[in-house]
Structure formats: structure tokens, C-alpha cells
Amino acid sequence: MPPDFPAAEVLRLVGAVGPYFQVAACAPGGGPPEGFRPLRELHRAGTDTDLARRIGAAADLLGTSEARVAASVVHLGLAARVWSVALGVAAFGGTADLHPDRAHYRLPPGGPLDLWLPLPGASAVTGDPVEALHTSVVTGVLAPLGEAVRSVAPVAGRLLWGNTASALYGSLKVLDSHLSNDQVALHARRLAAGLLEREPLAGTAEVGPLGPPPFRRTTCCLYYRVPGGGLCGDCVLDAPPTRRRPR
């Protein structure tokens, strides 16, 4: 287990890693800043939602007419944002309160969504830390987010779980390159490895030994279908499929 850190120090250390790892500062007893909404609102299904508008804006920005491609790209970014905070805090022995009714978000015009967490923001974990992360993030946030994404665009569920696994591993890689405490880094690797062994993430990637492990997805996020896009570093494909020209 990593050494104990005060909750405020955990959030500071994690936030220093980069923008995907930062959360809005919150004063004791205070609520979220103006413009923040409960995270549960990102779980709303339908085409008249923040999520649907974000996917539409991404399609315009990426220059694609395929809603499923934009939806996958947006989902991957949101999953990376959630995992960065959750895994970062857990690496230091805490737990980020990402309950959809208590955590709040704000969608800026560009870049990762802003996150606000209620105090204490990071508290000590009791019990199995992998189970705690699985319950909080996979079950509590990303499963309903995936269903909301699929209500906007026809994206395969297995593809979205592949995105979730890829986002988790990407967050681990960034953490691993920034952490100077070997005990904390090792704990992060063990947490990620444990999560990748559990359903629904089990089988979404080929994962090697801890180190951090080499990682290759068993699905494709569809980014190659973006005009000018290519294959991601962990893609299941060796080369972009050749599109047949109509006769």
C-alpha cells in the first residue's frame, strides 16, 4: 500500500500531473462553482443533452459525418478524464468521490471537461481498493455513460468498453511517467492490472506483465475513419482497412 497523504495533498499532487488530473478547488461546506452540474446529467439519454451536443460539436471539429466516430472519440476523452482523477487519487491511497449526484461537471468549449468533487475529495479506502474503483468508476460512472453515448449514436458496447480500458491504461502511463514515489507508482499499476482482469474490461485488451504493461486493444476506437486520422498506438489493427470504391 502507498503511504498515507492528507486529502488536500492528494488532490494537489494528482492535479500537478496535468489538466486531465485536476479538479476544481472546493471550500469546506461550499457547493460547486457557478455553471457546474451534477455528473448524473451526463448519463441522460437522447439527442437534447450536453453529451449529444458535445458529440455533434466533435463531429464538426473532426470533419466527420459519422456520428459513431465522433461519439467514440468523445467517450474516450470523457473516460480518460474520469480515470485520470480516480486512478490518480487511488494511487495515493485515497478515493475520489465520483458519485454522479455529488460530483459535478462543466463542459468548456474545448479540452477536457471541468470536474468538481465534494470535500473531502479524497478519503481513505477501506476494503479492496480495486473493488472500490470498479464500483465507483466502472459501475457508477462509465457504464451509464456508455449507455447514454449509445442513445446518441450506434456504437458497439464492446468498443466502448475497449475505450474504457484504453483510457485507464493511458491514465496509468501518464501517471507512471510523472510519479517520483515508486511505492505509489507500483500501487497504480496493480490497481490498473486488477481492473483490467475484471468484467466488463476483461478481454478488451492484451495486457503484458506489470511495468507498466504493454497494451493492445481487441477493438478499434474508429479514429482511423476521421479525415486525416490514423491508428492509435494501442489499436487492434495493424493498418487502416481499405475502403472499397463503389462500382
Side-chain angles (χ1 to χ4, degrees), residues 9-221:
E9 180 67 2
V10 169
L11 293 178
R12 186 191 68 79
L13 290 168
V14 172
V17 174
Y20 270 75
F21 294 79
Q22 295 169 359
V23 296
C26 43
E34 184 178 355
F36 279 75
R37 306 166 71 177
L39 194 58
R40 188 174 298 281
E41 294 199 19
L42 275 182
H43 297 162
R44 288 174 52 212
T47 56
D48 185 23
T49 63
D50 278 353
L51 181 62
R53 286 185 283 274
R54 183 76 160 191
I55 291 172
D60 292 340
L61 183 64
L62 295 168
T64 179
S65 60
E66 294 186 83
R68 68 187 183 116
V69 174
S72 176
V73 171
V74 168
H75 175 267
L76 186 55
L78 293 175
R81 181 70 168 106
V82 172
W83 273 131
S84 296
V85 173
L87 183 65
V89 170
F92 286 92
T95 179
D97 187 354
L98 286 162
H99 189 284
D101 292 328
R102 295 191 291 270
H104 284 61
Y105 77 95
R106 180 174 61 192
L107 282 173
L113 83 164
D114 298 324
L115 276 177
W116 176 90
L117 302 183
L119 286 177
S123 56
V125 174
T126 57
D128 181 2
V130 174
E131 178 62 30
L133 269 178
H134 187 276
T135 300
S136 172
V137 180
V138 177
T139 303
V141 178
L142 297 181
L145 177 65
E147 290 303 311
V149 168
R150 296 184 70 195
S151 76
V152 178
V155 190
R158 198 62 178 165
L159 182 156
L160 295 182
W161 285 122
N163 282 357
T164 300
S166 179
L168 169 61
Y169 184 66
S171 299
L172 173 64
K173 286 199 300 182
V174 175
L175 268 175
D176 201 73
S177 65
H178 282 78
L179 291 174
S180 58
N181 186 309
D182 291 341
Q183 193 176 359
V184 173
L186 180 59
H187 189 51
R189 296 171 199 164
R190 287 173 173 166
L191 290 171
L195 288 161
L196 290 169
E197 291 173 354
R198 296 190 177 206
E199 292 291 347
L201 301 186
T204 58
E206 297 174 358
V207 186
L210 290 174
F215 179 97
R216 189 175 191 183
R217 294 178 58 148
T218 55
T219 59
C220 172
C221 74

